Amino acid sequence: AEEKAGRAVLVRVGVRRTGRHAEQQDEAQWAQTRTQEVPSEHEKELLHCEVDRALSRALSINAFDYNCHLDLIKLLRQEGELVKLRRARQKMSELFPLTEEIWLDWLKDEIKMASEISEREKVYELFERAVKDYICPEIWLEYAQYSIGGIGQEGGIEKVRSIFERALTAVGLHVTKGTALWEAYREFENAILETAQLERIHTLFRRQLGIPLLDMEASYAEYEEWSEDPIPETTIKNYKKALQQLEKCKPYEEALLGAETPKLAEYQAYIDFEMKAGDPARIQLIYERALAENCLVPDLWARYNQYLDRQLKVKELVLSAHDRAVRNCPWTVGLWIQYLLAMERHGVDHCIISEMFEKALNAGFIQATDYVEIWQAYLDYLRRRVDFTQGTYSMFDYTFVYLFFFPGFSESGDPSCTIMQNWARVEARLCNNMQKARELWDNIMTKGNAKYANMWLEYYNLERAHGDTQHCRKALHRAVQCTSDYPEHVCEVLLTLERIEGTLEDWDAAVQKTENRLARVNEQRAKAAEKEAALARQEEEKAEQRKQSRAEKKASKKAKKNRIGEKRKADDDDEGEWGQEEEEEQPSKRHKGDGDGLLLEEDMELETGLFGRSGPEKPDLSTNQKEKPSTSRKDVPKVLHDSSKDNITVFVSNLSYNMTDPEVKLKELFESCGEVAQIRPVFSNKGTFRGYCYVEFKDEKSALQALGLDRNVVEGRPMFVSPCVDKNKNPDFKVFRYSTTLEKHKLFISGLPFSCTKEELEDICKAHGNVKDIRLVTNRAGKPKGLAYVEFENEAQASQAVLKMDGLTIKEHIIKVAISNPPLRKLPDKAEAGRASQFAVPRQIYGARGKGRTQLSMMPRALQRQSNPVAKAENGMVQNSPAASSERTEEPKKMSNADFAKMLLNK
């Protein structure tokens, strides 16, 4: 956890390993590896020195390398280099708040070496620093126990009591760990027990029994056993009240005990509970407990600091919390702004605020806009401390800071020059220096803002409020000339000004100028429209050419197929009477692939009727064969969709082809959304269900509600429900309902086992934050693809989940976790898409192994079968359309089956 926290800090601060820095870190890692491999003590000592130097060089280049600090401290502690170890810990504590484990190790090492009184004082100072980083009961308990060792000194007892009282104030309300401090305090008083001390112990028992702590019953029983007098009624009443409070807190404490780190959701629920109760001490404690385990969550620090600023308003407490916040999350500009405001609110000296502002500038913000925000906050502070009644000279600090410390950021992070605009307002309104304000606005316009109407109107409003009419008119005339986004609005403002304050000459000049400008604008817009229309026509022509080429290729392929069919027909004409007799003796031929094995008489009658030929007599079918065609649904008419009812119709797809009675099943499903007018399933020519249908409702509200059934599982497949939209009329319509852009609060997880369920994934993710939604990605058949999207409540929780879950092993599968940012898809050409929808060419049918690399057929052409078999008449001749027969070409006659039969009979 510490390593991931360190990596997160480095990413936020923006530190990058480059050049010599990367080489030295690699050198340090190599040296550590060598240390593990060498068994010799002498060589190991040498290599430890080498690692020490490598880590020290790496820290000299990048002092914010958290992991490097930890490695150096660990190495020095193993070697026993106490002086270097103390120096390394000191440097790390100046940059980062130390964890409870690091502080305890440091304190134990210092306690071992402290023998004299002066050294004990240094340990006391170290304890004071430790308890300020985080509120940790273990450190407070260690502090109190260490202070007992100095009880023999002057004022030692009072000092121990003072530390115990501070510890109880800080963590005495800790439900699970506070009892240990109370018991230690009582044991101390028992150790120095005198007659006058009895009342102190009574007071400690009564105070403890009034606080909801775990094992309160044991403390109450101990008090009954220890006390010779009966327990007062007031103490019993407070004890029962604390027990009731403990019962309310127990569910939250149990949730924290059962949850995994970082427990953000559980802590947030606990904080909300304490906020409703309204006890400031308990609210502060639960915030501190949450921050001890989630020190890298900026939102949690921001909420805690906001509570302290608005409710407690204690200077030492507020400033300490703000300082710890920026040390833990230095990359968050909002925390620095809160800190500067808090320092100003509590009257901190200007020099200290300026130093803190300089630290903020060196914190390593990632975006230029963050620097703009921190500069704006500091400039606002300077503006508030300037006394403008003494003249404009006192504003020198403000202008000096902007001119000499803020070059460059106004272009990248502040494109609209908001800081310079505020500067101009201060000059005009507070300093009465309109000339300086005009110079600033002239500088703003030269930075690429002259083409925007809102910038000119902002300058016009400033002139209107603090300038004169002449400069207002001049500004609007320049705006009419330069504005390119909304020139009509600027022209209207100019005419309004001249209508109210201008002379006739001013009015005429304004009208002429606006008319000329608008005429040029309209001409430019017309040219741009013509250019776009020409480009559109070119695209249409290209699309038409591609369309014609596709049509020609399709026609040539069709003609080639017809010629092949005519050759087979000519071969079959030579079979004669022998072929007919043979057909009478043989049973009726069946189409390959028909599941019921029935002769398709209806299809044959349809073909012979179309081409003017008589159909064969229908053979006498068995009873079973007569019953089966009744279930093939060949009498189902073609589904015709009425596009005028698209608003009350939804399109349902991806249904199972084996669904029986889709009307009945879908009607039961969609009746929950409203009254269903009609369900129109689509069937193939063979009468089988094609997996999609139209559901028409009585009103539009029901159709909109039906869209909520999208992705519901029906007979093992996810059902797709989408609006009924004609894509030929609306080619840009997208059915995909999920975002395809960056979502910082949503995670993309890959590498999941296919057996992982939504509930199992939710149990894993909810330990890192409040999970709002989980979507497992499946294919059209409803089978999982090992991918998932997890939506958290905010960005901070998602960031924590990435740090904790990336590389996690689930059912022997290592998952990858990242912020959801789908790659941009290449959109097809609209004309190409339209053409493809109108002239769809059937896909190439490949063999069982797919598309071969050489594309060469390994089967003799004489044995190849047609991919699309054609129906035959009663005499075995192939039926061809008139169009195909008109395109016959003379080709050498090939031997037919009849020819082979005659050859065999003649032998």
Side-chain angles (χ1 to χ4, degrees):
E2 292 177 356
E3 291 178 0
K4 289 188 176 181
R7 288 196 294 269
V9 169
L10 294 182
V11 171
R12 300 299 196 282
V13 173
V15 176
R16 297 293 184 266
R17 294 180 60 216
T18 57
R20 182 59 181 164
H21 177 202
E23 295 177 3
Q24 290 178 350
Q25 284 195 342
D26 294 337
E27 181 183 352
Q29 294 176 1
W30 171 82
Q32 287 179 328
T33 305
R34 287 284 307 276
T35 304
Q36 298 174 358
E37 296 175 354
V38 178
S40 172
E41 293 296 332
H42 178 66
E43 294 182 359
K44 185 179 293 185
E45 183 178 354
L46 294 177
L47 288 175
H48 279 176
C49 296
E50 185 179 353
V51 173
D52 185 5
R53 289 193 297 270
L55 293 174
S56 301
R57 287 197 301 269
L59 288 176
S60 65
I61 298 174
N62 176 21
F64 289 93
D65 193 333
Y66 190 89
N67 292 330
C68 196
H69 280 286
L70 293 179
D71 294 338
L72 181 60
I73 291 174
K74 182 179 179 180
L75 179 64
L76 294 175
R77 196 161 189 259
Q78 290 176 353
E79 295 178 349
E81 296 285 347
L82 299 181
V83 178
K84 293 183 179 180
L85 178 61
R86 182 181 297 165
R87 189 182 305 116
R89 284 167 169 168
Q90 181 68 27
K91 288 182 179 180
M92 186 176 181
S93 65
E94 293 174 357
L95 297 174
F96 305 103
L98 304 185
T99 62
E100 177 183 341
E101 293 77 10
I102 298 176
W103 273 119
L104 289 175
D105 290 340
W106 190 358
L107 290 167
K108 289 177 182 178
D109 292 340
E110 294 292 341
I111 289 173
K112 292 177 182 178
M113 296 184 294
S115 58
E116 300 180 0
I117 299 178
S118 59
E119 293 176 347
R120 290 185 61 87
E121 291 298 327
K122 292 181 179 179
V123 176
Y124 282 127
E125 294 176 0
L126 198 61
F127 268 114
E128 289 295 332
R129 291 174 55 190
V131 296
K132 289 180 181 179
D133 273 357
Y134 301 107
I135 292 184
C136 299
E138 289 81 0
I139 295 179
W140 275 110
L141 186 60
E142 190 73 23
Y143 190 10
Q145 291 175 349
Y146 179 73
S147 65
I148 295 176
I151 194 174
Q153 301 176 6
E154 183 179 357
I157 295 178
E158 294 302 324
K159 187 172 185 178
V160 174
R161 286 174 178 163
S162 173
I163 293 174
F164 267 118
E165 289 294 337
R166 290 174 57 198
L168 292 179
T169 303
V171 294
L173 298 178
H174 200 295
V175 177
T176 58
K177 299 181 180 180
T179 305
L181 275 169
W182 289 100
E183 292 177 353
Y185 197 180
R186 289 202 312 271
E187 291 297 330
F188 166 72
E189 294 292 348
N190 274 322
I192 59 172
L193 183 62
E194 298 176 1
T195 305
Q197 305 298 329
L198 291 176
E199 188 60 30
R200 286 183 178 275
I201 300 176
H202 277 288
T203 303
L204 285 175
F205 267 118
R206 293 166 187 169
R207 288 169 59 189
Q208 180 182 356
L209 294 176
I211 299 173
L213 301 172
L214 291 181
D215 298 330
M216 289 187 64
E217 297 83 355
S219 300
Y220 184 78
E222 182 182 354
Y223 187 27
E224 282 185 324
E225 183 180 355
W226 180 83
S227 177
E228 298 177 354
D229 300 329
I231 300 177
E233 291 294 331
T234 306
T235 304
I236 297 175
K237 184 178 179 181
N238 293 335
Y239 168 70
K240 292 180 178 179
K241 185 177 179 181
L243 276 177
Q244 295 176 356
Q245 182 68 18
L246 179 62
E247 291 299 322
K248 296 179 182 179
C249 297
K250 269 187 178 180
Y252 300 99
E253 293 291 344
E254 292 173 355
L256 288 174
L257 290 175
E260 296 181 0
T261 306
K263 310 177 186 179
L264 270 174
E266 290 77 13
Y267 273 120
Q268 187 58 51
Y270 207 164
I271 290 172
D272 295 338
F273 165 73
E274 294 293 356
M275 291 288 284
K276 291 179 181 178
D279 187 349
R282 298 190 62 83
I283 294 173
Q284 179 191 357
L285 179 62
I286 191 59
Y287 263 120
E288 291 287 351
R289 289 176 60 185
L291 289 169
E293 298 189 38
N294 301 277
C295 58
L296 297 179
V297 181
D299 291 343
L300 190 59
W301 281 108
R303 290 195 296 270
Y304 181 40
N305 291 336
Q306 186 181 65
Y307 170 77
L308 296 178
D309 288 334
R310 296 180 179 179
Q311 301 297 329
L312 297 187
K313 301 179 181 180
V314 180
K315 179 179 179 179
E316 292 77 11
L317 183 61
V318 170
L319 296 182
S320 174
H322 281 287
D323 182 69
R324 289 186 292 138
V326 296
R327 290 177 65 201
N328 278 281
C329 306
W331 62 87
T332 307
V333 67
L335 296 178
W336 287 102
I337 293 175
Q338 283 185 339
Y339 195 7
L340 293 177
L341 291 174
M343 295 175 74
E344 181 185 3
R345 195 177 292 118
H346 291 282
V348 178
D349 187 69
H350 171 67
C351 296
I352 299 177
I353 296 178
S354 299
E355 291 177 1
M356 191 57 59
F357 172 69
E358 292 296 333
K359 288 183 179 180
L361 292 181
N362 296 324
F365 301 130
I366 299 175
Q367 299 178 350
T369 54
D370 294 340
Y371 287 95
V372 174
E373 292 181 21
I374 192 67
W375 268 103
Q376 185 61 68
Y378 185 61
L379 294 174
D380 292 341
Y381 158 71
L382 292 179
R383 195 270 307 163
R384 287 189 288 267
R385 69 184 301 270
V386 169
D387 185 6
F388 292 97
T389 60
Q390 302 298 325
T392 58
Y393 295 103
S394 58
M395 195 57 195
F396 175 76
D397 294 337
Y398 191 96
T399 57
F400 178 82
V401 168
Y402 187 87
L403 288 175
F404 291 92
F405 291 95
F406 198 74
F409 281 109
S410 59
E411 298 178 1
S412 59
D414 191 15
S416 58
C417 302
T418 54
I419 293 182
M420 200 176 290
Q421 289 185 42
N422 293 331
W423 186 4
R425 295 188 188 100
V426 170
E427 292 287 352
R429 186 169 303 172
L430 301 177
C431 299
N432 297 322
N433 188 357
M434 198 59 202
Q435 182 61 32
K436 181 64 176 179
R438 294 188 183 106
E439 293 177 2
L440 291 172
W441 265 105
D442 186 66
N443 192 10
I444 292 172
M445 292 305 180
T446 58
K447 294 183 180 296
N449 295 304
K451 57 184 177 181
Y452 300 116
N454 64 323
M455 301 296 290
W456 284 107
L457 294 179
E458 189 69 29
Y459 175 39
Y460 165 74
N461 292 331
L462 185 67
E463 284 284 359
R464 193 73 173 159
H466 305 285
D468 51 43
T469 305
Q470 186 63 29
H471 284 90
C472 290
R473 182 178 290 110
K474 183 178 179 181
L476 290 176
H477 276 275
R478 290 178 61 193
V480 170
Q481 190 68 26
C482 300
T483 302
S484 59
D485 54 352
Y486 298 105
E488 296 87 354
H489 190 35
V490 176
C491 293
E492 183 181 353
V493 174
L494 176 57
L495 294 177
T496 302
L497 174 67
E498 301 300 352
R499 182 177 286 112
I500 296 174
E501 298 187 9
T503 62
L504 180 59
E505 291 77 8
D506 296 332
W507 171 262
D508 292 339
V511 170
Q512 183 178 0
K513 193 174 188 66
T514 54
E515 288 178 352
N516 294 336
R517 176 58 178 163
L518 293 179
R520 289 196 302 271
V521 170
N522 293 331
E523 183 179 355
Q524 293 173 358
R525 291 174 179 173
K527 290 182 179 179
E530 290 179 1
K531 187 175 181 180
E532 291 181 1
L535 292 175
R537 285 194 300 270
Q538 291 178 3
E539 292 296 330
E540 290 178 359
E541 291 175 359
K542 292 179 181 179
E544 187 64 27
Q545 291 176 1
R546 290 192 292 264
K547 179 179 176 181
Q548 291 178 0
S549 64
R550 286 285 183 91
E552 291 174 357
K553 291 181 180 179
K554 185 176 181 181
S556 63
K557 290 182 179 180
K558 185 176 181 181
K560 186 176 180 180
K561 288 183 179 181
N562 290 335
R563 287 196 298 270
I564 296 173
E566 289 170 4
K567 288 187 290 183
R568 291 193 176 184
K569 179 180 178 182
D571 294 339
D572 292 340
D573 285 341
D574 296 335
E575 291 182 1
E577 295 180 356
W578 181 87
Q580 295 178 1
E581 293 175 358
E582 181 183 338
E583 188 172 351
E584 290 175 359
E585 294 176 359
Q586 294 178 351
S588 300
K589 293 184 178 181
R590 299 173 175 84
H591 281 285
K592 183 180 180 180
D594 287 353
D596 52 3
L598 296 178
L599 182 65
L600 304 180
E601 297 91 351
E602 291 85 346
D603 293 343
M604 294 173 62
E605 285 183 356
L606 177 62
E607 292 194 38
T608 55
L610 286 174
F611 302 120
R613 302 183 58 159
S614 59
E617 294 182 1
K618 298 180 181 180
D620 186 12
L621 301 175
S622 64
T623 306
N624 294 335
Q625 289 176 335
K626 288 182 180 180
E627 291 176 356
K628 288 183 179 179
S630 63
T631 63
S632 64
R633 311 192 69 138
K634 298 189 70 64
D635 55 344
V636 177
K638 185 178 181 181
V639 176
L640 298 177
H641 175 63
D642 186 3
S643 59
S644 62
K645 297 182 179 181
D646 284 349
N647 60 329
I648 59 173
T649 307
V650 296
F651 180 69
V652 183
S653 60
N654 201 44
L655 298 171
S656 175
Y657 291 170
N658 299 325
M659 180 181 289
T660 57
D661 295 328
E663 298 98 327
V664 178
K665 290 190 177 181
L666 294 178
K667 188 172 183 179
E668 294 176 357
L669 183 62
F670 284 95
E671 276 182 343
S672 61
C673 303
E675 185 177 357
V676 179
Q678 185 184 13
I679 294 180
R680 301 189 296 276
V682 181
F683 297 91
S684 65
N685 293 333
K686 296 181 181 180
T688 58
F689 181 48
R690 300 187 63 180
Y692 60 91
C693 66
Y694 298 91
V695 180
E696 181 181 331
F697 292 90
K698 291 290 186 180
D699 52 14
E700 186 175 356
K701 183 178 179 181
S702 301
L704 294 176
Q705 189 175 354
L707 297 177
L709 298 179
D710 185 36
R711 311 282 171 168
N712 279 17
V713 179
V714 178
E715 294 190 1
R717 293 173 65 91
M719 176 182 64
F720 299 162
V721 184
S722 58
C724 193
V725 177
D726 188 356
K727 289 192 176 181
N728 292 328
K729 298 179 181 179
N730 300 278
D732 296 331
F733 176 76
K734 300 295 182 184
V735 180
F736 193 70
R737 64 175 182 175
Y738 301 107
S739 175
T740 57
T741 59
L742 174 65
E743 295 178 282
K744 296 183 179 180
H745 66 288
K746 185 180 291 186
L747 302 184
F748 173 69
I749 303 177
S750 59
L752 289 169
F754 292 160
S755 60
C756 182
T757 63
K758 184 177 180 180
E759 291 74 16
E760 292 175 347
L761 185 59
E762 184 177 5
D763 292 339
I764 297 172
C765 296
K766 69 181 182 181
H768 310 291
N770 187 13
V771 178
K772 296 180 64 178
D773 184 40
I774 293 180
R775 176 166 63 92
L776 294 177
V777 182
T778 61
N779 57 16
R780 297 182 68 87
K783 304 298 181 182
K785 300 173 69 174
L787 308 174
Y789 289 90
V790 181
E791 181 179 357
F792 284 89
E793 192 172 43
N794 52 48
E795 300 177 11
Q797 295 179 2
S799 300
Q800 284 293 311
V802 170
L803 293 175
K804 303 297 182 182
M805 294 178 59
D806 188 29
L808 186 67
T809 302
I810 300 178
K811 296 181 180 180
E812 299 182 356
H813 286 70
I814 300 176
I815 65 173
K816 295 182 180 180
V817 184
I819 298 297
S820 176
N821 187 16
L824 296 177
R825 295 188 177 183
K826 184 177 180 182
L827 298 177
D829 189 7
K830 294 182 179 179
E832 185 73 18
R835 183 186 72 254
S837 62
Q838 295 175 6
F839 299 94
V841 180
R843 291 185 297 177
Q844 182 77 20
I845 300 177
Y846 304 112
R849 295 181 180 271
K851 184 176 180 180
R853 182 173 295 178
T854 62
Q855 299 294 298
L856 297 178
S857 176
M858 305 306 294
M859 183 185 295
R861 286 190 291 271
L863 299 180
Q864 289 182 355
R865 297 181 180 180
Q866 289 184 344
S867 59
N868 296 323
V870 295
K872 293 185 178 181
E874 71 274 14
N875 59 356
M877 296 177 61
V878 180
Q879 298 294 332
N880 292 319
S881 63
S885 62
S886 63
E887 298 178 1
R888 291 182 180 177
T889 58
E890 294 296 333
E891 292 186 4
K893 183 178 179 181
K894 296 181 180 180
M895 295 185 68
S896 64
N897 292 338
D899 294 334
F900 281 107
K902 290 177 182 179
M903 291 173 61
L904 292 173
L905 292 174
N906 291 334
K907 288 185 178 180

